[in-house]
Amino acid sequence: MAIKIIVAGPRGRMGKEAVHMIYDTADFELTACLDHKNDGKKLSDLEGFSGDFNAPIYTDIEKCFSEQQADVFVDLTIPEVGYKHTKAALNHGIRPVVGTTGYTNEQLEELKQLAKEKQTGCIIAPNFAIGAVLMMKFAKMAAAYFPDVEIIEKHHDQKLDAPSGTAKKTAELIQESRKSKKQGHDDEEETIKGVRGGDFDGMRIHSMRLPGLVAHQEVVFGGAGQTLTIQHDSMNRASFMDGIKECVHQVMDLDELIYGLENIL
Ligand SMILES: NC(=O)C1=CN([C@@H]2O[C@H](COP(=O)(O)OP(=O)(O)OC[C@H]3O[C@@H](n4cnc5c(N)ncnc54)[C@H](O)[C@@H]3O)[C@@H](O)[C@H]2O)C=CC1
Ligand SMILES: O=C(O)C1=N[C@H](C(=O)O)C[C@H](O)C1
């Protein structure tokens, strides 16, 4: 039987790609979309979806979740909206697969508790690209040997959150294998505010935003007489689709929240 899926944010860069992936996947069925406009229309009424895209569009989340019997809810929107959507999906027993980034630790914790209480699977993955997940794992391994590290993430200039969810997750994984350390010179001073980047447990994160970029990250380690750079580049949004597919399949068998694809690969 096909897995029935609702997608939020179908007109977005990721949402559009995900809708096409769902239509192209034999055991997936798109039952509806959530948008903040176009209520009552069909996906095929929108630009870029000509043809067979007959899923209905809702703007009211409660109405959508009550009328459509879905198995999985995929959120690709913006942080405050994605958080509300994820809560509502869990309350309706629909398993969220969330790509939206920018959640606070408190929000993540609250969603974790709710998923546990509802015994409903939920995956929140800051990055669905398998290469990016490997980059994060390799960075965690390297940090045990190289405690001095800086993260440089580079994204398109329409991105709302900084640092990226991937950079934050990378820093959290590095923190698990690296002793807390304030890097750089004790007396270093910024003569231009922010020039040394954001401070996460003593390591620095730098966020670059430029047109022409998609999603890129370098994790640079430094030791005596050597550096090690681990780099990942997403050239387009197709790079995230295999990860979403995997999450949709795996979330069906979960009864708790998993944060990060590295925990289920
Ligand atoms: N986990 C991953 O691998 C990836 C995650 N992302 C994240 O996914 C999110 C979306 O990214 P993009 O598609 O590039 O952004 P985008 O700006 O192209 O799309 C966001 C969409 O959300 C929609 N939206 C806003 N409010 C809404 C509401 N109330 N209800 C329904 N839809 C609403 C907008 O209309 C827009 O279509 C971001 O948080 C981004 O960081 C992006 C790429 C990969
Ligand atoms: O907004 C994006 O584009 C991306 N967001 C995610 C993040 O914040 O890490 C994943 C990927 O980097 C693309």
Side-chain angles (χ1 to χ4, degrees):
M1 260 219 323
I3 300 177
K4 294 181 165 37
I5 306 170
I6 295 173
V7 171
R11 289 178 297 115
R13 287 173 288 265
M14 279 292 282
K16 203 172 270 174
E17 190 84 33
V19 162
H20 283 87
M21 178 275 287
I22 291 166
Y23 268 90
D24 290 342
T25 305
D27 63 336
F28 288 178
E29 181 185 322
L30 186 74
T31 57
C33 287
L34 259 176
D35 199 345
H36 56 102
K37 51 187 193 183
N38 300 309
D39 194 36
K41 289 190 178 170
K42 286 200 161 141
L43 208 49
S44 52
D45 298 329
L46 307 187
E47 206 187 312
F49 296 102
S50 56
D52 236 9
F53 297 93
N54 48 13
I57 298 173
Y58 290 81
T59 52
D60 183 331
I61 190 163
E62 289 301 324
K63 190 167 175 231
C64 178
F65 288 164
S66 320
E67 286 185 7
Q68 299 291 335
Q69 303 303 310
D71 301 302
V72 175
F73 168 68
V74 174
D75 195 275
L76 298 161
T77 61
I78 54 174
E80 62 271 30
V81 169
Y83 166 68
K84 274 194 256 164
H85 284 172
T86 307
K87 257 170 85 165
L90 286 169
N91 281 322
H92 281 264
I94 303 175
R95 306 161 188 86
V97 167
V98 180
T100 307
T101 50
Y103 294 157
T104 63
N105 291 343
E106 292 70 32
Q107 288 174 327
L108 286 172
E109 191 50 43
E110 194 186 332
L111 294 171
K112 199 176 177 104
Q113 288 308 322
L114 184 59
K116 193 172 169 188
E117 188 190 305
K118 300 286 176 189
Q119 297 195 336
T120 300
C122 176
I123 301 175
I124 299 182
N127 203 313
F128 289 117
I130 310 303
V133 178
L134 289 173
M135 167 190 61
M136 290 186 254
K137 280 186 169 239
F138 296 156
K140 180 179 174 177
M141 280 169 67
Y145 304 92
F146 289 98
D148 289 275
V149 51
E150 306 222 354
I151 299 171
I152 305 161
E153 57 99 339
K154 307 172 196 175
H155 282 83
H156 57 92
D157 65 350
Q158 297 307 300
K159 186 163 177 60
L160 295 178
D161 54 317
S164 69
T166 309
K168 183 167 174 268
K169 183 70 171 160
T170 307
E172 288 165 359
L173 289 172
I174 287 174
Q175 192 180 30
E176 287 174 19
S177 65
R178 162 194 182 268
K179 266 204 195 126
S180 203
K181 176 175 185 188
K182 184 186 174 302
Q183 292 174 206
H185 198 288
D186 278 349
D187 298 332
E188 80 179 10
E189 264 181 46
E190 285 184 335
T191 55
I192 299 177
K193 191 175 174 303
V195 77
R196 285 288 290 118
D199 183 335
F200 182 98
D201 195 29
M203 71 185 105
R204 297 290 172 160
I205 304 179
H206 310 268
S207 296
M208 191 186 282
R209 298 289 177 265
L210 284 173
L213 292 171
V214 179
H216 317 262
Q217 182 168 290
E218 283 169 45
V219 188
V220 186
F221 296 90
Q226 58 182 321
T227 64
L228 169 69
T229 302
I230 303 171
Q231 174 176 339
H232 177 261
D233 297 277
S234 271
M235 309 302 187
N236 57 42
R237 287 165 184 92
S239 62
F240 304 114
M241 294 304 126
D242 281 349
I244 297 187
K245 260 192 212 176
E246 184 65 22
C247 289
V248 169
H249 284 125
Q250 292 218 26
V251 80
M252 293 295 292
D253 299 323
L254 293 174
D255 60 3
E256 60 175 340
L257 185 150
I258 302 288
Y259 170 52
L261 210 55
E262 71 281 2
N263 295 307
I264 54 165
L265 279 182

